[in-house]
Amino acid sequence: MDFELTEEQRAFAQTARDFAHAEFAPHAAHWDEEGIFPKEAIAKAGELGFCGLYAPEAAGGLALPRLDATLVFEEMAAVDPSTTAFITIHNMATWMLGTWATPAVRDHWGPLLTTGEKLASYCLTEPGAGSDAASLKTRAELVGNEYVINGSKAFISGAGSTDVLVLMARSSAAGDAQSGASGISAFAVPADAPGISYGKKEQKMGWNSQPTRTISFDNVRIPADHLLGREGEGFKIAMKGLDGGRINIATCSVGAAQGALNAAQQYMQDRKQFGKPIASFQALQFKLADMATELVAARQMVRLAASKLDAGARDASTYCAMAKRFATDAGFTVINDALQLHGGYGYIREYPLERLLRDARVHQILEGTNEIMRVIIARRMLDGDATEVIR
């Protein structure tokens, strides 16, 4: 068991760190304040391969292990969790399209998405189907050589500003409206197809550098070859995507917590009270020690889950849920503690802490709430061999 990164992995992480400090750091606060979706900066990330990190090579991706992808996402999230989180969602959708699309669809969209020239959104959640994703109602009816899509999606990152939608819908050939997960299929839908409309841009607590909107589908027609995989495989594809997505969002929390820890350590050395740096107060030293310990534990949990997913382990989904639950909770706590160490300065926008806190809060909700993560973990732990498997 080797916890050390290779020289190649360290170099890749350093490239991501340098990129984030050059392209994100000078602008992240402005993007947040003005609600700017930085497509040009994302395209620059694409030039480095960061928009297709684990997408298959046949689609133009780098086909890297998920572990290596976490190194890139963590470094970028330490500077700008919001923009980085969108890039992780784009990576997930790009991987899904690159893995399950027909050759014609893959060959068209793959190179555009993996380079960041075009962007993708992931469309699973609906107004009445959040944690219970298998109850979604959007339908795709096969009519001749086309699918006709009707329904709506909610809380879609990038909606209205992206180019292709990886959509989960209930397809008639896969089952009726009562068939649950087995009746769901996946599709690649051009975001500007006739019949698609976008709701208002949601005003959010954080993640302000990426737009979030509802999407409505009114008799939207797409060619039949835009089906991803086979009829009825959509829910399985969605869940496979979410295993990686949960690692990605957990990594964004680890990165944001690292950024907060960096700021707290520097502030403790610079800030003086009662005639000496606050770093000399043992109570604050203990707080910093706890923050560092929680951060390291979260990072290793995420990397363990990524390694399990890379290895195709039987319990990879359980470990992904564990990593998502632990890292997003621990990361938020570390950021909150870093803000507290800054006192009143942590609460104002001159410092990055309040932005990191706002951006990280949603990580405990999306890609499956942390309550749902506990359900996934508990179900596995109630199996007879579970306590031995996790040793």
Side-chain angles (χ1 to χ4, degrees):
M1 185 180 296
D2 186 0
F3 290 94
E4 293 300 316
L5 300 178
T6 66
E7 287 301 316
E8 183 177 7
Q9 288 172 324
R10 290 184 183 279
F12 209 30
Q14 186 63 52
T15 298
R17 181 182 302 186
D18 293 342
F19 170 81
H21 282 280
E23 300 295 339
F24 289 177
H27 311 293
H30 177 64
W31 294 338
D32 170 71
E33 185 173 0
E34 299 297 327
I36 295 170
F37 187 39
K39 296 178 74 170
E40 291 184 3
I42 295 171
K44 289 181 180 179
E47 293 173 4
L48 295 173
F50 295 167
C51 287
L53 286 168
Y54 53 89
E57 291 180 351
L62 298 182
L64 290 177
R66 301 304 175 90
L67 176 59
D68 290 22
T70 68
L71 307 179
V72 173
F73 296 146
E74 181 183 332
E75 294 294 347
M76 294 196 294
V79 175
D80 186 354
S82 172
T83 303
T84 303
F86 175 79
I87 292 174
T88 74
I89 295 167
H90 171 83
N91 267 268
M92 177 177 69
T94 298
W95 172 76
M96 294 167 75
L97 186 148
T99 302
W100 281 285
T102 60
V105 173
R106 182 197 64 206
D107 291 348
H108 172 73
W109 282 108
L112 296 172
L113 295 174
T114 54
T115 59
E117 182 179 345
K118 301 292 185 180
L119 299 176
S121 289
Y122 176 66
C123 302
L124 174 64
T125 301
E126 297 185 357
S131 295
D132 183 14
S135 68
L136 65 83
K137 292 183 171 58
T138 298
R139 296 192 64 82
E141 301 283 350
L142 185 61
V143 180
N145 292 321
E146 294 181 315
Y147 283 99
V148 181
I149 303 169
N150 285 280
S152 62
K153 296 294 178 178
F155 303 120
I156 304 304
S157 292
S161 298
T162 53
D163 305 285
V164 65
L165 311 175
V166 174
L167 173 77
M168 305 301 149
R170 197 166 296 285
S171 58
S172 54
D176 60 30
Q178 305 302 318
S179 58
S182 63
I184 296 171
S185 300
F187 303 89
V189 181
D192 60 354
I196 295 179
S197 60
Y198 297 93
K200 66 178 178 64
K201 182 179 175 182
E202 302 289 357
Q203 299 300 308
K204 307 188 297 289
M205 175 181 176
W207 272 28
N208 291 318
S209 70
Q210 50 170 297
T212 301
R213 293 183 173 90
T214 60
I215 308 178
S216 297
F217 301 86
D218 183 10
N219 289 322
V220 175
R221 293 178 175 270
I222 59 171
D225 70 353
H226 281 44
L227 174 72
L228 302 181
R230 295 192 295 269
E231 286 268 5
E233 287 188 328
F235 195 77
K236 180 184 73 173
I237 292 171
M239 293 304 104
K240 285 182 175 294
L242 284 178
D243 278 342
R246 286 163 183 163
I247 292 173
N248 292 345
I249 290 302
T251 302
C252 286
S253 284
V254 171
Q258 181 68 61
L261 184 68
N262 294 346
Q265 186 233 37
Q266 185 62 53
Y267 184 79
M268 286 177 64
Q269 294 172 339
D270 294 341
R271 176 69 166 167
K272 292 185 178 180
Q273 291 288 273
F274 307 104
K276 52 186 176 181
I278 63 173
S280 65
F281 298 117
Q282 191 175 65
L284 301 187
Q285 293 174 2
F286 285 1
K287 177 62 70 176
L288 193 69
D290 287 343
M291 292 161 61
T293 302
E294 291 294 305
L295 173 57
V296 170
R299 177 180 291 122
Q300 295 308 323
M301 183 77 241
V302 170
R303 292 182 181 178
L304 172 63
S307 297
K308 293 284 186 181
L309 194 59
D310 286 332
R314 171 193 170 193
D315 289 304
S317 293
T318 305
Y319 280 93
C320 291
M322 288 179 175
K324 196 271 180 181
R325 202 293 299 165
F326 183 76
T328 58
D329 284 347
F332 183 80
T333 299
V334 169
I335 300 164
N336 195 43
D337 287 343
L339 190 153
Q340 186 73 17
L341 285 172
H342 279 71
Y345 290 107
Y347 201 66
I348 63 176
R349 294 194 173 184
E350 181 180 347
Y351 291 79
L353 277 303
E354 61 86 30
R355 174 171 56 83
L356 294 176
L357 188 81
R358 288 186 289 104
D359 283 345
R361 179 61 182 89
V362 75
H363 299 174
Q364 296 165 296
I365 298 172
L366 50 78
E367 308 290 34
T369 66
N370 283 4
E371 289 73 22
I372 292 297
M373 296 304 99
R374 290 179 172 90
V375 171
I376 294 170
I377 298 162
R379 284 175 178 168
R380 178 65 181 104
M381 289 303 99
L382 290 170
D383 288 346
D385 66 337
T387 57
E388 292 300 319
V389 168
I390 64 170
R391 286 175 178 264

